[in-house]
Structures are given as structure tokens and as C-alpha cells.
């Protein structure tokens, strides 16, 4: 807490030595006053989840594994909020000397084409009413070995930097960046999508992407996101296309 310079984000803080999944835990809590921006952190997550029933695997006491809960005024643009969180993580990483992280559509932070961080956003409704947004973040900080299945694909800050890092200082910096980006998101500030695009892998390139499962090799120029978080491409007939995040996968 001493290291935390935010005014509200992460000020309510819950720590679990071990838990199946911080996102699943957040689903069970009732959203009360004061919980907007609360953080739920664990040192050992045994049943971490990714998108589409995929798994998030993390080692004990080495990484940052947490969820944040929000109950915002704004009720749309959740993919943009996910990217705002990814951007905040990226900015905190790029504050460290010698690291150049990039964003990968729609929810990863990579260094040298390897995955450093994954984000899982979930929304909960009571009837039509948004009760909360849960943003789960898994960031590989000091892990030095990965399971064989992830070996070529995952990396950590310590592996990239060559030395371990104080996790608390890094977390405090992520929260600070995120508080600023969250305000931009809530206020529809056009600086947010611009900053996201600046760091997005493949931005402005004839990229390999698939739309609704169909591979479009190099036929579309990837123009990043618009102000709502939708994805834009320009095709060879100079048509501008807009896609939702579910429709598109971008390949490196
Ligand atoms: C994600 O899903 O990347 C979202 C991960 C979110 C994890 C956080 S941790 C706190 C909170 N509580 C939870 O239960 N979850 C959230 P996706 O884009 O579907 O990527 C999942 C894929 O990433 C897996 O299938 C693996 O290939 C890979 N993967 C798993 N663990 C990894 C790791 N530690 N580092 C890099 N890649 C990993």
C-alpha cells in the first residue's frame, strides 16, 4: 500500500495465498459500495482460466495473478477496456529498462513474439443491469521455467531482462497507469484507442488474419481499432471493413 499512488484503483485489496481462480472468485462476490476498482490477488492460482475454456498456468509466488472488479458508468466498449488494461501493463513493462512490449489483438502483451501477459474480461448482469466487469490479469514476472507445452510460446519479465523484479513495485505502477487509462476509457477519450494502436502488432500492415474462420492472407491492411474497440481493415479494393472482436483473429 505504501507504494500505491492511485486515488481509488486497487485501494481495496484482497490477498489469497492459494485460490482456484481470482476471476471465478470475483463472480461470487456481491458488488457493494467501495468495491469499484478493488483488486483480488493470489500467489498461487490452481485453476486459472483463459478464453474459450483454455487454461492459464502460473507458478507459485513468482508472478502477478489478479482480478479487478469495476462497476462503471459506461456500459459499452468492454473490448476497449480490456485493451486499456493491456496497455497499462505494457506501459509499466516498458518503464523497465531494455524491454519493448507490444499488444497483440485482442488481449495479449508480448515481448519478442512471446506471451508475457494474458487478460480475461468477464461481465456479469442481473437482468439487463450490468452488475460488474471482472478483469483478470496474469503476468509472468519472475518465472524462469515454463511447462514444455508453453516453452516456445511464453516468457517472463525476468527471462527477458535477465534479473528478477520486485512484484509489488511493478503492480503499483500497473495500477497507476491503469487508473489513468480507465478514466480515458470512461470519458470516451480518443487518445486511448490512438495509444493502443501505436503499440499494436501488425498495425498498418498487410496482415494475416481470419474473419469468421476464413483465412485472409495478406488481403487486408490491419488498421487497429476504432473509437469503440471494433477492428478496422482496408482491403485491396480500398474498402474499409469493420469487425467485432469475436469475428477476427490476427496471426503474426
Ligand atoms: C488469456 O487467455 O490469455 C487470459 C488469461 C487470464 C489469466 C488471468 S490470471 C487471473 C484471472 N483469473 C483467471 O482464472 N484468469 C485470469 P487466452 O488468450 O485464451 O490464452 C490462453 C492460452 O495462453 C493457453 O491456451 C496457453 O496456450 C497460453 N498460456 C497459458 N498460461 C500461460 C502463461 N503463464 N504464459 C503465457 N502463455 C500462457
Amino acid at each position: 500500500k505504501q507504494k500505491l499512488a492511485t486515488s481509488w484503483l486497487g485501494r481495496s485489496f484482497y490477498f489469497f495465498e492459494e485460490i482456484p481462480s481470482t476471476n471465478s472468485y470475483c463472480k461470487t462476490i456481491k458488488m457493494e459500495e467501495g468495491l469499484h476498482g478493488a483488486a483480488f490477488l493470489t500467489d498461487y492460482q490452481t485453476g486459472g482460466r483463459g478464453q474459450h475454456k483454455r487454461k492459464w498456468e502460473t507458478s507459485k509466488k513468482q508472478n502477478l495473478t489478479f482480478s479487478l472488479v469495476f462497476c462503471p458508468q459506461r456500459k459499452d466498449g468492454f473490448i476497449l477496456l480490456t485493451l486499456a488494461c493491456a496497455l497499462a501493463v505494457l506501459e509499466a513493462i516498458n518503464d523497465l529498462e531494455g524491454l519493448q512490449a507490444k499488444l497483440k489483438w485482442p488481449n495479449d502483451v508480448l515481448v519478442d513474439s512471446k506471451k508475457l501477459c494474458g487478460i480475461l474480461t468477464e461481465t456479469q448482469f442481473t437482468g439487463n443491469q450490468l452488475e460488474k466487469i471482472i478483469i483478470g490479469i496474469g503476468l509472468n514476472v519472475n518465472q524462469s521455467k515454463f511447462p514444455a507445452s508453453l516453452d516456445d510460446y511464453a516468457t517472463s519479465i525476468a527471462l527477458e531482462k535477465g534479473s528478477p523484479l520486485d512484484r509489488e513495485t511493478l503492480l503499483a505502477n500497473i495500477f497507476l497507469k491503469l487508473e489513468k487509462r480507465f478514466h480515458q476509457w470512461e470519458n470516451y477519450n480518443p487518445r486511448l484507442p490512438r495509444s493502443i494502436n501505436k503499440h499494436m502488432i501488425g498495425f498498418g500492415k498487410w496482415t494475416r488474419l481470419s474473419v469468421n474462420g476464413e483465412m485472409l492472407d495478406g488481403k487486408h491492411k490491419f488498421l487497429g481499432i476504432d473509437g469503440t474497440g471494433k477492428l478496422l481493415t482496408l482491403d485491396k479494393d480500398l474498402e474499409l471493413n469493420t469487425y467485432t472482436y469475436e469475428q477476427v483473429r490476427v496471426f503474426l
Side-chain angles (χ1 to χ4, degrees):
K1 282 242 158 140
Q2 283 164 351
K3 293 176 180 167
L4 199 58
T6 56
S7 59
W8 57 277
L9 197 143
R11 291 265 151 205
S12 291
F13 193 90
Y14 302 84
F15 176 74
F16 306 88
E17 267 175 27
E18 181 177 332
I19 200 168
S21 153
T22 53
N23 262 39
S24 300
Y25 179 82
C26 288
K27 282 190 175 173
T28 67
I29 57 169
K30 192 154 169 42
M31 206 56 196
E32 302 162 350
E33 216 174 301
L35 274 188
H36 175 60
F40 299 79
L41 185 94
T42 186
D43 244 349
Y44 190 40
Q45 185 169 255
T46 51
R49 297 186 288 112
Q51 306 173 87
H52 315 294
K53 305 217 166 125
R54 292 197 284 258
K55 287 192 180 129
W56 183 258
E57 298 178 55
T58 177
S59 57
K60 225 179 212 173
K61 294 192 181 194
Q62 290 184 312
N63 298 325
L64 285 173
T65 309
F66 60 100
S67 299
L68 298 163
V69 293
F70 296 109
C71 188
Q73 299 295 319
R74 183 173 174 179
K75 310 291 181 202
D76 66 336
F78 301 137
I79 184 68
L80 191 60
L81 179 60
T82 305
L83 285 161
C85 295
L87 179 64
V89 171
L90 174 145
E91 289 176 314
I93 292 168
N94 286 357
D95 276 354
L96 305 166
E97 223 170 292
L99 284 188
Q100 249 325 315
K102 297 291 260 172
L103 295 179
K104 167 133 192 294
W105 170 265
N107 64 343
D108 294 341
V109 180
L110 309 191
V111 170
D112 279 340
S113 308
K114 289 189 166 187
K115 185 156 162 174
L116 201 61
C117 170
I119 300 185
L120 177 67
T121 298
E122 297 180 289
T123 47
Q124 257 187 326
F125 288 84
T126 315
N128 285 334
Q129 202 83 357
L130 177 74
E131 193 189 318
K132 56 173 130 60
I133 305 177
I134 303 165
I135 300 209
I137 301 183
L139 174 60
N140 303 325
V141 183
N142 289 327
Q143 189 164 346
S144 55
K145 267 198 149 143
F146 288 92
S149 58
L150 293 178
D151 217 17
D152 291 337
Y153 177 66
T155 191
S156 70
I157 296 177
L159 280 175
E160 295 300 318
K161 252 179 82 64
S163 56
L165 202 76
D166 177 43
R167 290 182 295 162
E168 284 175 22
T169 309
L170 178 65
L171 186 65
N173 199 19
I174 292 172
F175 284 177
L176 190 62
K177 309 272 188 210
L178 186 44
E179 192 173 81
K180 179 184 149 206
R181 294 299 180 184
F182 188 91
H183 287 144
Q184 290 187 337
W185 173 77
E186 254 196 332
N187 295 313
Y188 298 84
N189 188 327
R191 283 205 192 118
L192 176 62
R194 249 185 265 148
S195 303
I196 289 168
N197 284 335
K198 208 173 110 190
H199 294 284
M200 187 90 81
I201 289 176
F203 180 73
K205 301 214 168 96
W206 296 98
T207 314
R208 293 181 67 209
L209 47 89
S210 75
V211 176
N212 299 326
E214 190 198 340
M215 215 46 215
L216 299 174
D217 258 7
K219 291 185 189 136
H220 286 237
K221 196 175 247 193
F222 178 51
L223 298 183
I225 48 164
D226 67 8
T228 65
K230 286 222 177 74
L231 202 133
L232 297 172
T233 71
L234 185 74
D235 62 29
K236 295 235 150 126
D237 300 323
L238 301 183
E239 293 275 353
L240 206 53
N241 308 276
T242 312
Y243 300 110
T244 64
Y245 112 93
E246 293 92 350
Q247 288 176 290
V248 175
R249 285 190 66 190
V250 176
F251 297 86
L252 290 179

